Amino acid sequence: GAGSGKTRVLTYRVAYLVAERQISPRRIMAVTFTNKAAREMKERLETLIGAPALGELTMGTFHAVCARILRVDGQHVGLERAFVIYDSDDQTALVKQAIIDLNLNDKLYRPGAMLAAISTLKNDLIEPDDFTPRSHREEVVRRVYARYQAALTSANAVDFDDLLMKTALLLQKNPAVLARYRQ
C-alpha cells in the first residue's frame, strides 16, 4: 500500500545492481505506477549512482516506459514513430463521433460507459476484431470500439490504454523485439 516503501526498495535495488553487482544501467528497466514515484526514484538514484549512470537507465511510469518502447518499435503494431497520445477529452470526442457515425442513441449508449467498456477490453488485451459479443449491448460496444480504434489509427494516435496494450501485443507477437528488451 501507500507509504510502505516500494519506491525506496526499488531505488536501492537498482543502486545495488549498478554499484555492487556491476550491472550496466542500460540493462535495467525500472517501472513505477505514478509520476511522483518516478520523480522520487530519479532524484534518489542520481544521488546513489550519479547522473551519467542515471541517464542510461530506462525508468518511468508504465505508460511512459511503454510510450518509449512504442516510439522505437511501434511500427510492428502499426504505429508511426511520431504518434500522438490522446487525453480523456480527445477520447470522449472520438467516442461521441463514433456513436453519431453509427447512428446510436447517446442517451442509451453514453460515451463514458462506452469508453469504460473499451478500456476494460483493452486492459484484457482484446482488440475489436477479437471481441465476441454475448449480448446486443456488447455488439454495440464492439461496433463503437471498432470505429473508435479506426479513428485512432487514422490519426496515428493512441489512448492511455493503447500504450499498455500495444506494448504487450508488440512483445507477445515479436520474439526478436522481446529478446532485445530482455537483454
Side-chain angles (χ1 to χ4, degrees):
S4 65
K6 297 179 298 295
T7 302
R8 185 177 191 280
V9 168
L10 184 57
T11 301
Y12 279 91
R13 175 69 173 170
V14 170
Y16 168 78
L17 291 171
V18 171
E20 301 296 324
R21 299 291 306 271
Q22 303 298 307
I23 304 293
S24 169
R26 289 182 186 187
R27 298 201 52 192
I28 299 172
M29 181 181 291
V31 185
T32 66
F33 285 103
T34 66
N35 288 321
K36 180 183 174 194
R39 278 191 305 275
E40 286 178 24
M41 192 180 336
K42 182 179 180 184
E43 290 167 5
R44 290 178 189 173
L45 282 170
E46 188 167 12
T47 301
L48 293 169
I49 65 173
L54 179 65
E56 294 183 29
L57 280 171
T58 298
M59 179 177 58
T61 63
F62 282 94
H63 291 95
V65 169
C66 288
R68 211 171 305 152
I69 290 169
L70 291 172
R71 295 263 184 232
V72 173
D73 291 300
Q75 73 275 9
H76 299 290
V77 289
L79 286 175
E80 295 174 27
R81 193 173 294 257
F83 64 83
V84 177
I85 302 170
Y86 276 14
D87 64 16
S88 58
D89 290 340
D90 298 323
Q91 294 170 344
T92 300
L94 222 55
V95 164
K96 283 180 179 178
Q97 188 59 53
I99 290 169
I100 290 167
D101 292 347
L102 294 167
N103 200 27
L104 298 168
N105 181 341
D106 67 347
K107 303 294 184 240
L108 189 56
Y109 302 105
R110 297 195 179 277
M114 292 290 107
L115 273 173
I118 291 167
S119 180
T120 297
L121 291 166
K122 287 184 177 191
N123 286 316
D124 289 337
L125 304 180
I126 300 171
E127 296 180 286
D129 292 340
D130 299 328
F131 178 46
T132 305
R134 296 173 304 211
S135 68
H136 175 70
R137 183 163 192 82
E138 287 185 355
E139 174 57 29
V140 171
V141 168
R142 187 195 63 72
R143 290 173 36 222
V144 171
Y145 182 15
R147 179 67 63 114
Y148 171 80
Q149 205 61 36
L152 282 172
T153 299
S154 74
N156 193 38
V158 296
D159 61 21
F160 292 111
D161 292 321
D162 280 333
L163 292 172
L164 304 176
M165 180 178 80
K166 287 186 177 292
T167 302
L169 294 173
L170 167 70
L171 297 174
Q172 284 177 358
K173 295 178 179 182
N174 293 277
V177 173
L178 176 61
R180 192 163 23 94
Y181 283 100
R182 280 185 171 159
Q183 289 299 312

